[in-house]
Amino acid sequence: MRFRGKSIRRKIVALLLVPLVSLTALWGFATVITGRQAIRLLDVAYVIEKVGYPVEDVVRVVQKERRQTLVVLGDPRASAATAELTKRRAETDEIVRGLAANAKDPEVVEELDPDALRRLRSILDAFHGIDALRSSVDQTRLDPGQALELYNRLVDPCYDFLQNLHALEDVQMDKEGRALVGITRAREALAREDAVIASALAARNVSGTDLRRVSDLAANRQLLYQVNLGILPADDRETFEQYWSGPQTKPLRDAEEKIISAGPGKNPRLTSAQWDEASAHVLDDLARMGTAAGDRYQERVEPVAMDVLLKAAVAGILGFFALAISLVLSVRIGRDLIRDLSRLRKEAHEASGVRLPSVMRRLAAGEQVDVETEAPNLEYEKDEVGQVGLALNTLQRAAVEAAVKQAELRRGVSEVFVNLARRNQVLLHRQLTLLDTMERRTEDTEELADLFRLDHMTTRMRRHAEGLVILSGAAPSRQWRKPVQLMDVVRAAVAEVEDYERIEVRRLPRLGIAGPAVADITHLIAELLENATVFSPPHTAVQVHGERVANGFTLEIHDRGLGMTPEALLDANLRISDSPEFALSDTDRLGLFVVSRLAQRHSVKVSLQPSPYGGTTAVVLLPAALLTEAPDTQGSGFRLDAPDRSRRPAPAAVEGRPAGRSGRLR
């Protein structure tokens, strides 16, 4: 196969390679998983031989040492019992050394999963401390109950290890392996019962605690058999059931009943010799039966492993043939598809790479686009490829028409916004002029205060109307030719905020703002001040201060509200810095859109940060290009429509005093 040449050829080849590679990966994955399962089943026998059976041997010798330890603690004066304990300890040490040697086998380490290997090492580490236990026993610092508990702590991890050693992917085999461990746990319950009774008989005193332990262990043993025998094959289940119901275990069952029915006392109705004969026989039989059941389990595992291997081989071969057939069919279909689609390459490339991008750019620039010219109806043959060509024609025409309609809709909405805003601005300007005349004419203090409040609301209404103009991309109607003091600009912004009384403006340096930027900077600061007052408690103040920096002037607005979450703060800063296109559905973020447009227009940098007062700080960086020498206003503020301010003084917005009407921009 040759895949050189046209780009459409490479795309088709890539399209066909994806399912082929996926199929190959799935085939390889299934083969590896199935093969690994079979290999693991085969390796179970080796792992069980090296560490499984030795762990069981360790359990059995520890059981014997535990029993003899409790006998010695029951009657420390019996020298024969002490000699027997020494022998049992030597057997335990020998078996543990053999287990430790097998645990270092590289093949065992490789086959065991990390959790099982950790459990095995934990068992060996626990046996390193058995000398301390033995020393406590020799010095009679432990009673039989404490010694029993400490030896149980050595045995229990061994059963946990064996329980997880048979973790096979074959569900039935895994269940049977765990059930065999459950059967050995039942024997452990009998061994603990044997140790408790032997200790009590050696002391010639059966306490109530001993009887409770015997009853609990007997019940636990019966429960373990009941739960696990049902999982084993019928032959193994019947063997254990017949044994426990047969004459071999009757002496043990009679002895248990005799001890329990006799109750606590110093003269038990059973001798140590009678109990030893009954329990030793049953424990040996159970050990032999458990080993035989384990051997039969291994014999059942091997055929399952071979069956899995056979299935893996069949699946691998069939998967390989399926992969080869898929490859041949993919190559043939790919060649036919490439040959048919090559005829559409030129038209599709021109439509997607040249014509449609050109239409989008022209519409974005505000040019008029003719749909018939930009989306000509191309002729194709009446076959499958021709149907694709007709669909391409329809898609191209629909895209151009949708883009044209969307551009017209945006222009129409912007024109409506500008038209309505301009009308409102004219009316509001007249209203402000009339209010100013009425303010100068009235002498009534209460009436003058009402006029001031109406004047303030009108000023805010004018700012909202001006916001619509800014969102539409037009320039505001208010313009200044000469520079205006920065302090006056901030005063004017404060005057356009509803809760202007809460705003404290620190004395700012004597700087001027270039005339063409005065209206926009005033509007920008007013929007930020409005947000600071709205999102902070009404009893708190909003502080404004600033200072010169290396590349301009920084104005900071601090509020003491609840602040913003890091996610909300990041989203707001992104909206301000990226200058996104205004969406009609996002009406709750009008202030951010207005600030973003104004900041972009004059290269002003605005960022929101956590405030040291617990709220939010808006930082406005005015570039040096907007700053000029401060003009002298002689304390009268600035008003384009009413320069004469001799009738009343201008309240200064400095050092914690809110700005008054003298800072109003008209």
Side-chain angles (χ1 to χ4, degrees):
M1 293 184 297
R2 298 177 61 188
F3 294 103
R4 297 175 302 176
K6 308 296 178 65
S7 59
I8 194 171
R9 181 187 299 273
R10 290 195 292 270
K11 292 180 181 179
I12 296 299
V13 170
L15 180 65
L16 295 176
L17 279 178
V18 170
L20 287 176
V21 172
S22 301
L23 182 60
T24 303
L26 290 175
W27 169 71
F29 178 77
T31 303
V32 170
I33 290 297
T34 310
R36 186 178 64 182
Q37 178 185 358
I39 294 174
R40 188 171 183 179
L41 284 171
L42 291 176
D43 291 337
V44 164
Y46 181 80
V47 174
I48 290 179
E49 180 182 357
K50 284 294 184 180
V51 294
Y53 289 152
V55 168
E56 291 183 3
D57 294 339
V58 168
V59 169
R60 292 173 184 174
V61 295
V62 171
Q63 289 172 348
K64 294 179 181 180
E65 180 180 337
R66 177 182 60 194
R67 183 187 192 279
Q68 196 62 32
T69 298
L70 265 65
V71 169
V72 171
L73 291 175
D75 185 10
R77 295 170 298 178
S79 58
T82 304
E84 182 67 19
L85 177 59
T86 303
K87 179 180 177 182
R88 296 303 180 190
R89 289 176 177 178
E91 292 179 356
T92 301
D93 294 338
E94 181 180 359
I95 298 298
V96 170
R97 283 194 297 270
L99 176 62
N102 291 344
K104 297 178 181 178
D105 188 340
E107 188 172 351
V108 171
V109 175
E110 181 180 357
E111 293 300 332
L112 285 177
D113 59 71
D115 184 62
L117 187 61
R118 179 186 59 81
R119 291 175 183 271
L120 179 59
R121 290 173 178 171
S122 176
I123 291 172
L124 294 175
D125 292 340
F127 276 100
H128 289 161
I130 197 173
D131 291 335
L133 172 59
R134 292 169 176 173
S135 176
S136 299
V137 171
D138 294 339
Q139 298 174 13
T140 64
R141 290 184 296 181
L142 299 176
D143 58 37
Q146 294 173 334
L148 176 67
E149 178 63 24
L150 293 175
Y151 273 103
N152 291 346
R153 293 179 184 179
L154 293 175
V155 173
D156 288 337
C158 297
Y159 286 110
D160 293 337
F161 170 76
L162 294 174
Q163 190 78 25
N164 294 276
L165 183 63
H166 299 278
L168 303 175
E169 295 182 16
D170 186 279
V171 177
Q172 184 59 33
M173 290 293 99
D174 184 70
K175 286 183 178 180
E176 291 183 10
R178 294 178 185 274
L180 286 175
V181 177
I183 297 301
T184 59
R185 280 183 178 272
R187 183 183 181 277
E188 163 66 10
L190 178 59
R192 293 182 183 183
E193 179 185 350
D194 174 44
V196 172
I197 294 176
S199 177
L201 293 177
R204 297 178 180 82
N205 181 21
V206 179
S207 65
T209 302
D210 294 334
L211 289 179
R212 284 193 297 273
R213 285 176 180 166
V214 170
S215 299
D216 292 342
L217 290 171
N220 187 32
R221 181 188 71 214
Q222 294 175 3
L223 178 62
L224 287 171
Y225 277 121
Q226 182 179 0
V227 171
N228 294 284
L229 286 178
I231 302 175
L232 294 179
D235 294 341
D236 292 338
R237 181 173 63 253
E238 292 176 359
T239 299
F240 281 95
E241 290 176 349
Q242 291 176 2
Y243 178 77
W244 277 105
S245 61
Q248 300 93 330
T249 58
K250 189 175 186 308
L252 176 68
R253 288 182 276 124
D254 292 341
E256 287 178 340
E257 181 64 26
K258 185 180 295 186
I259 290 177
I260 294 174
S261 61
K266 294 186 177 181
N267 296 309
R269 294 187 298 174
L270 188 70
T271 64
S272 297
Q274 292 173 337
W275 172 255
D276 292 346
E277 181 180 359
S279 62
H281 179 70
V282 174
L283 285 172
D284 292 341
D285 288 345
L286 291 177
R288 184 178 63 258
M289 293 166 60
T291 302
D295 294 339
R296 289 191 293 272
Y297 170 75
Q298 295 301 321
E299 294 175 358
R300 292 194 300 273
V301 167
E302 185 173 355
V304 172
M306 297 305 298
D307 184 58
V308 172
L309 276 177
L310 179 61
K311 292 179 179 178
V314 172
I317 294 173
L318 292 179
F320 177 77
F321 280 114
L323 182 63
I325 294 173
S326 300
L327 181 62
V328 173
L329 292 177
S330 298
V331 170
R332 293 188 59 182
I333 294 173
R335 285 181 177 177
D336 295 340
L337 189 59
I338 290 173
R339 185 166 53 248
D340 293 338
L341 292 179
S342 296
R343 290 177 292 175
L344 289 176
R345 182 179 60 86
K346 181 178 180 180
E347 288 82 0
H349 176 71
E350 183 180 357
S352 62
V354 179
R355 191 179 297 119
L356 287 178
S358 175
V359 170
M360 297 300 179
R361 287 193 297 269
R362 291 168 59 189
L363 289 174
E367 299 181 14
Q368 297 293 332
V369 173
D370 181 55
V371 178
E372 297 296 335
T373 303
E374 300 300 334
N377 190 18
L378 304 177
E379 297 293 335
Y380 295 98
E381 297 293 335
K382 295 182 179 181
D383 55 4
E384 288 79 0
V385 177
Q387 294 175 5
V388 175
L390 293 176
L392 179 63
N393 278 340
T394 303
L395 179 62
Q396 180 183 206
R397 188 177 185 87
V400 174
E401 290 178 350
V404 170
K405 290 180 180 179
Q406 187 177 12
E408 292 176 351
L409 178 61
R410 285 199 299 267
R411 284 196 296 268
V413 172
S414 297
E415 291 173 0
V416 170
F417 280 175
V418 173
N419 191 3
L420 293 176
R422 295 297 189 196
R423 292 182 182 183
N424 287 337
Q425 283 182 316
V426 172
L427 295 177
L428 292 172
H429 181 75
R430 292 179 181 177
Q431 184 173 332
L432 285 172
T433 304
L434 179 60
L435 287 172
D436 188 71
T437 303
M438 295 173 67
E439 291 169 6
R440 293 175 181 276
R441 187 174 57 220
T442 185
E443 298 297 337
D444 188 345
T445 304
E446 294 183 359
E447 185 177 350
L448 183 61
D450 291 337
L451 289 174
F452 282 172
R453 284 193 292 270
L454 184 59
D455 184 300
H456 182 61
M457 286 192 299
T458 306
T459 303
R460 291 169 52 217
M461 292 169 61
R462 182 186 59 186
R463 176 167 63 87
H464 295 323
E466 190 175 271
L468 293 178
V469 176
I470 294 171
L471 291 176
S472 302
S477 59
R478 294 186 294 169
Q479 296 291 335
W480 278 262
R481 293 185 300 274
K482 296 182 179 181
V484 178
Q485 278 195 19
L486 175 61
M487 190 66 183
D488 289 336
V489 171
V490 175
R491 286 176 179 173
V494 172
E496 296 185 1
V497 177
E498 180 179 3
D499 291 339
Y500 64 89
E501 297 92 346
R502 294 169 48 202
I503 301 176
E504 299 177 358
V505 183
R506 304 285 178 84
R507 174 67 65 181
L508 300 177
R510 289 182 56 81
L511 292 174
I513 300 294
V518 168
D520 289 344
I521 299 301
T522 303
H523 196 132
L524 185 149
I525 297 174
E527 291 287 350
L528 295 176
L529 290 173
E530 184 78 34
N531 283 343
T533 57
V534 169
F535 294 104
S536 61
H539 63 276
T540 61
V542 175
Q543 296 183 348
V544 182
H545 60 83
E547 61 179 346
R548 269 189 176 275
V549 293
N551 53 350
F553 186 86
T554 298
L555 193 69
E556 296 184 2
I557 301 172
H558 298 276
D559 67 61
R560 301 193 180 187
L562 297 177
M564 303 172 66
T565 63
E567 295 78 10
L569 203 63
L570 176 61
D571 179 67
N573 283 319
L574 289 176
R575 287 178 178 271
I576 293 174
S577 61
D578 291 347
S579 299
E581 184 179 356
F582 173 61
L584 294 177
S585 61
D586 205 0
T587 56
D588 59 339
R589 301 297 183 96
L590 291 179
L592 291 180
F593 281 110
V594 172
V595 171
S596 177
R597 293 286 177 86
L598 295 176
Q600 184 186 32
R601 184 180 297 173
H602 298 285
S603 300
V604 176
K605 294 182 179 179
V606 180
S607 63
L608 303 180
Q609 303 173 0
S611 170
Y613 304 109
T616 303
T617 297
V619 181
V620 181
L621 176 61
L622 302 175
L626 296 181
L627 303 177
T628 63
E629 293 297 329
D632 189 7
T633 61
Q634 298 179 353
S636 62
F638 65 104
R639 292 178 60 190
L640 188 61
D641 57 344
D644 183 11
R645 306 297 291 177
S646 60
R647 193 166 166 210
R648 65 178 183 274
V654 296
E655 295 298 327
R657 294 181 57 194
R661 290 182 62 255
S662 64
R664 189 181 69 204
L665 295 182
R666 293 189 179 179

